[in-house]
Amino acid sequence: DRNLEIFKQLELEQKIQQNIDKLNELSKKEDDLSKKSEEKSSDAKEQKQKQEELNKEFQDLKKDLQEMENKNKELEKPMKMESTEQKQEDISKDMQKSSEQLNNNQKKNASKSQKNASQKMQEMSNELAQMQQKEQQEKEGEDINKLRDILENLIQLSFGQEAVMTDLSKTKANNPQYVKLNQRQKKLQD
């Protein structure tokens, strides 16, 4: 069903946008945490707790990303999505590494790992946004082509209609040609 397909596409586009927003938000939180971890006065235990919360948020985001990919596969015409699995793994490793480093009171190293994770999240967010924009442009191109086809067909129909009307006005009702013109008119209507 066409309406269901359109609904699924809208749902997917919404999911992509939500994931982009979540990635941006998480990236900012991770970056802020990285700056706090660099401070000498920061409490490593407190930082580790915050890092664990961000790790959990990222795990939830990974589930959302998987759900997004599954929704894409359900479509009749799936979007061209590059796999983000490798980047997700890299981010998870960096986040886990920073947790361990905070556990060992290595705040400077933890800060570096957090910055790396933040940067990779930002890259992934940008990739998703570019993919979404590219897909939108392709869709617009397809729509323009469909519109062009419709217009061409409409022009041809209009000229055909005009020719039939001109011939009909010159033909008398008792002329055998009259029936043929009527049939041509019906054919144009179909």
Side-chain angles (χ1 to χ4, degrees), residues 136-152:
Q136 199 68 38
Q137 287 172 340
E138 283 178 20
K139 213 178 276 178
E140 285 173 7
E142 285 175 18
D143 290 348
I144 288 172
N145 288 337
K146 285 178 185 174
L147 198 57
R148 188 175 290 126
D149 290 344
I150 290 170
L151 280 173
E152 284 174 7

XYZ file of all heavy atoms in Angstrom, residues 136-152:
143
model
N 17.125 13.317 0.135
C 16.101 14.340 -0.115
C 16.267 14.930 -1.510
O 15.290 15.112 -2.240
C 16.231 15.443 0.950
C 15.009 16.302 1.088
C 13.825 15.536 1.663
O 13.988 14.710 2.536
N 12.650 15.789 1.161
N 17.519 15.209 -1.889
C 17.782 15.785 -3.213
C 17.408 14.805 -4.324
O 16.856 15.201 -5.344
C 19.260 16.177 -3.341
C 19.613 17.411 -2.540
C 21.110 17.686 -2.517
O 21.926 16.805 -2.763
N 21.462 18.924 -2.202
N 17.721 13.530 -4.123
C 17.365 12.511 -5.123
C 15.846 12.439 -5.281
O 15.325 12.329 -6.387
C 17.927 11.145 -4.720
C 19.399 10.998 -4.990
C 19.940 9.648 -4.543
O 19.156 8.691 -4.372
O 21.171 9.561 -4.365
N 15.145 12.493 -4.146
C 13.683 12.431 -4.165
C 13.109 13.630 -4.920
O 12.169 13.488 -5.702
C 13.156 12.389 -2.730
C 11.888 11.590 -2.581
C 11.432 11.548 -1.148
C 12.174 10.438 -0.424
N 11.831 10.360 0.984
N 13.684 14.804 -4.669
C 13.225 16.004 -5.367
C 13.461 15.874 -6.870
O 12.620 16.283 -7.671
C 13.944 17.250 -4.827
C 13.442 17.681 -3.471
C 14.251 18.809 -2.860
O 15.135 19.370 -3.536
O 13.993 19.127 -1.684
N 14.605 15.303 -7.246
C 14.911 15.081 -8.664
C 13.888 14.154 -9.305
O 13.431 14.397 -10.429
N 13.542 13.084 -8.590
C 12.532 12.145 -9.097
C 11.185 12.836 -9.252
O 10.481 12.629 -10.242
C 12.382 10.957 -8.134
C 13.515 9.965 -8.190
C 13.376 8.873 -7.137
O 12.260 8.675 -6.598
O 14.389 8.217 -6.862
N 10.825 13.643 -8.272
C 9.548 14.366 -8.318
C 9.503 15.312 -9.512
O 8.477 15.424 -10.183
C 9.320 15.152 -7.022
C 9.043 14.241 -5.830
O 8.796 13.033 -6.060
O 9.082 14.724 -4.692
N 10.602 15.995 -9.776
C 10.666 16.916 -10.910
C 10.478 16.153 -12.219
O 9.739 16.586 -13.107
C 12.000 17.707 -10.898
C 11.963 18.734 -9.769
C 12.255 18.394 -12.238
C 13.280 19.441 -9.514
N 11.141 14.984 -12.328
C 10.993 14.168 -13.541
C 9.558 13.686 -13.724
O 9.031 13.685 -14.843
C 11.960 12.980 -13.516
C 13.396 13.405 -13.734
O 13.658 14.463 -14.313
N 14.327 12.608 -13.267
N 8.918 13.273 -12.647
C 7.525 12.821 -12.730
C 6.620 13.972 -13.170
O 5.726 13.785 -13.996
C 7.046 12.275 -11.374
C 7.591 10.912 -11.041
C 7.116 10.448 -9.684
C 7.770 9.127 -9.311
N 7.435 8.738 -7.939
N 6.874 15.140 -12.606
C 6.094 16.321 -12.962
C 6.273 16.665 -14.440
O 5.302 16.989 -15.130
C 6.519 17.501 -12.079
C 5.572 18.673 -11.980
C 4.208 18.215 -11.476
C 6.137 19.731 -11.048
N 7.503 16.552 -14.924
C 7.792 16.821 -16.336
C 7.017 15.851 -17.238
O 6.428 16.250 -18.239
C 9.302 16.705 -16.589
C 9.717 17.147 -17.974
C 11.225 17.137 -18.171
N 11.834 18.199 -17.393
C 12.820 18.023 -16.523
N 13.301 16.822 -16.305
N 13.324 19.032 -15.853
N 7.019 14.566 -16.860
C 6.278 13.550 -17.635
C 4.785 13.874 -17.661
O 4.128 13.770 -18.704
C 6.485 12.150 -17.039
C 7.903 11.630 -17.265
O 8.614 12.203 -18.125
O 8.285 10.667 -16.584
N 4.252 14.250 -16.516
C 2.824 14.577 -16.429
C 2.495 15.757 -17.339
O 1.503 15.734 -18.070
C 2.423 14.880 -14.961
C 2.458 13.587 -14.145
C 1.043 15.517 -14.884
C 2.324 13.803 -12.651
N 3.355 16.770 -17.312
C 3.128 17.950 -18.153
C 3.177 17.602 -19.646
O 2.351 18.067 -20.427
C 4.161 19.040 -17.840
C 3.872 19.878 -16.612
C 5.045 20.801 -16.310
C 2.615 20.697 -16.787
N 4.159 16.776 -20.025
C 4.264 16.379 -21.432
C 3.019 15.619 -21.874
O 2.485 15.855 -22.961
C 5.520 15.530 -21.651
C 6.797 16.353 -21.666
C 8.047 15.493 -21.735
O 7.953 14.255 -21.908
O 9.140 16.075 -21.615
